[in-house]
Amino acid sequence: MFSLKELFKELSFQASLYSDLPLLASDLPYFPPEEDDEEFDDGIHLVVCVHGLDGNSADLRLVKTFIELGLPGSRLDFLMSERNQADTFADFDTMTDRLLDEIIQHIQLYNLTIGRISFIGHSLGNVIIRSVLTRPRFRCYLPRLHTFLSLSGPHLGTLYNNSALVSTGLWLMQKLKKSGSLLQLTFRDHVDPRKTFLYLLSQKPGLQFFKNVVLVASPQDRYVPFHSARIEMCKTALKDRTTGPVYTEMINNLLQPLVEAKECRLIRQNVFHALPNTANTLIGRAAHIAVLDSELFLEKFFLVAGLDYFK
């Protein structure tokens, strides 16, 4: 006598499958098979996430989540930087040393074999990332650089900020906190603009070693000027006969190596957020933070374009 289990195995059904879509959205299984270490002899893909001013290691948690969901089975290792979260008002050299120590210690602690390294930065964190690339101790990792995803990064500082309210607020914060980083972002760390931190940083190699340099910017963001996040000229700088030429030199210093690097792609992404009418929206803070906490933006960005940069 057959058991119910055996009887069920003998049942047969006739059916058809139909779909309006000729192709699957992804050919990767949602629950991938167990990884075979032998398949990753070339090492893992280390992704370093760096927060911005007055931020912390959890700021980019949604970015990490959407990359992991979108690339199941990829051997990604995330370092959510926390070394600077206790003091983001220090000068850039100090914060660079902290981040560099954190990266090297992470690699050594977990005995990682690095195949590729990518960086994701928000706001001020992007400048710290670029500074790390110039350090001698990081030189051995330059050939492994893959993607630099810059979210609202003040690559040209905040000198030509079109928001007087934000400029005043940053000035007061710099005075109260004695912030070296805010002083450097406004080119007030040296009387000669060509000897300021940001100008000297623009002269050093770094970005051209990446395969992808992705600059995400929003015109609604008044904390970081739109042109600064995109590394491009602005009308105010063109009219400024004193600092304007120095600004032009900075842009050329950053972009010319990228243009000449055959294996490097420069991608600019402009974002327009659907934001409520609040005080944060009015002063531009809402758009500055939306690249971190808007699930709608992050899901669409990574599904449409972002995931390709981390494959």
Side-chain angles (χ1 to χ4, degrees):
M1 185 172 180
F2 289 105
S3 66
L4 290 177
K5 180 178 179 181
E6 294 299 324
L7 186 61
F8 182 78
K9 288 181 180 181
E10 293 185 357
L11 293 177
S12 62
F13 297 93
Q14 292 184 350
S16 300
L17 291 176
Y18 171 79
S19 173
D20 288 325
L21 301 176
L23 299 174
L24 294 174
S26 173
D27 56 1
L28 297 173
Y30 192 79
F31 295 103
E34 292 296 323
E35 297 174 351
D36 186 355
D37 290 338
E38 294 180 0
E39 296 179 5
F40 298 97
D41 290 337
D42 57 339
I44 66 161
H45 186 175
L46 176 64
V47 182
V48 183
C49 298
V50 185
H51 60 79
L53 185 71
D54 208 22
N56 59 67
S57 60
D59 283 358
L60 284 89
R61 64 191 182 281
L62 280 179
V63 175
K64 172 179 179 288
T65 298
F66 278 106
I67 293 177
E68 288 179 323
L69 287 175
L71 297 175
S74 299
R75 198 175 189 192
L76 296 170
D77 182 74
F78 284 85
L79 168 57
M80 312 301 288
S81 177
E82 61 181 17
R83 197 64 59 89
N84 282 308
Q85 65 185 14
D87 180 21
T88 56
F89 294 95
D91 62 87
F92 279 114
D93 284 321
T94 300
M95 291 191 287
T96 298
D97 290 334
R98 293 173 185 164
L99 177 59
L100 181 57
D101 288 340
E102 187 175 20
I103 294 171
I104 293 176
Q105 288 173 14
H106 179 82
I107 294 172
Q108 293 176 344
L109 178 63
Y110 295 100
N111 194 26
L112 301 179
T113 300
I114 302 298
R116 293 187 291 181
I117 300 181
S118 292
F119 285 91
I120 304 175
H122 176 244
S123 191
L124 172 144
N126 291 289
V127 180
I128 303 174
I129 291 170
R130 285 176 46 212
S131 184
V132 164
L133 304 179
T134 66
R135 293 300 174 89
R137 284 195 296 157
F138 193 81
R139 193 172 298 156
C140 61
Y141 297 110
L142 291 178
R144 297 179 175 86
L145 292 180
H146 186 64
T147 290
F148 176 35
L149 175 56
S150 168
L151 304 172
S152 301
H155 297 286
L156 301 176
T158 58
L159 180 63
Y160 296 114
N161 196 325
N162 58 5
S163 173
L165 182 62
V166 172
S167 296
T168 302
L170 292 176
W171 179 82
L172 287 172
M173 190 177 295
Q174 189 274 317
K175 291 295 182 183
L176 291 172
K177 299 284 188 176
K178 305 297 181 183
S179 173
S181 59
L182 291 180
L183 197 69
Q184 291 167 320
L185 285 175
T186 52
F187 292 85
R188 289 186 287 118
D189 52 314
H190 201 285
V191 291
D192 184 353
R194 288 184 176 86
K195 293 183 179 179
T196 56
F197 173 82
L198 282 180
Y199 185 87
L200 294 175
L201 180 60
S202 74
Q203 293 180 308
K204 299 175 182 178
L207 293 182
Q208 64 267 36
F209 293 105
F210 287 100
K211 299 295 186 293
N212 309 294
V213 175
V214 188
L215 306 176
V216 178
S218 173
Q220 300 162 292
D221 183 354
R222 293 186 176 86
Y223 272 37
V224 172
F226 187 56
H227 64 274
S228 183
R230 285 172 52 87
I231 313 181
E232 64 182 10
M233 200 62 180
C234 67
K235 293 180 180 179
T236 311
L238 286 172
K239 297 176 183 178
D240 186 355
R241 296 184 179 180
T242 304
T243 314
V246 179
Y247 215 67
T248 304
E249 292 172 18
M250 278 183 58
I251 296 172
N252 290 334
N253 291 342
L254 289 170
L255 296 185
Q256 193 61 39
L258 292 179
V259 173
E260 295 174 353
K262 295 180 180 179
E263 296 184 358
C264 179
R265 291 190 301 168
L266 172 62
I267 304 103
R268 291 187 174 106
Q269 299 279 1
N270 298 339
V271 184
F272 298 86
H273 301 281
L275 299 171
N277 293 322
T278 63
N280 275 336
T281 302
L282 180 65
I283 65 175
R285 182 180 181 274
H288 188 65
I289 302 300
V291 292
L292 297 179
D293 61 11
S294 170
E295 292 188 25
L296 177 63
F297 159 68
L298 290 171
E299 181 183 13
K300 300 303 181 187
F301 171 72
F302 282 111
L303 284 178
V304 173
L307 290 176
D308 287 336
Y309 308 130
F310 295 91
K311 290 181 179 178

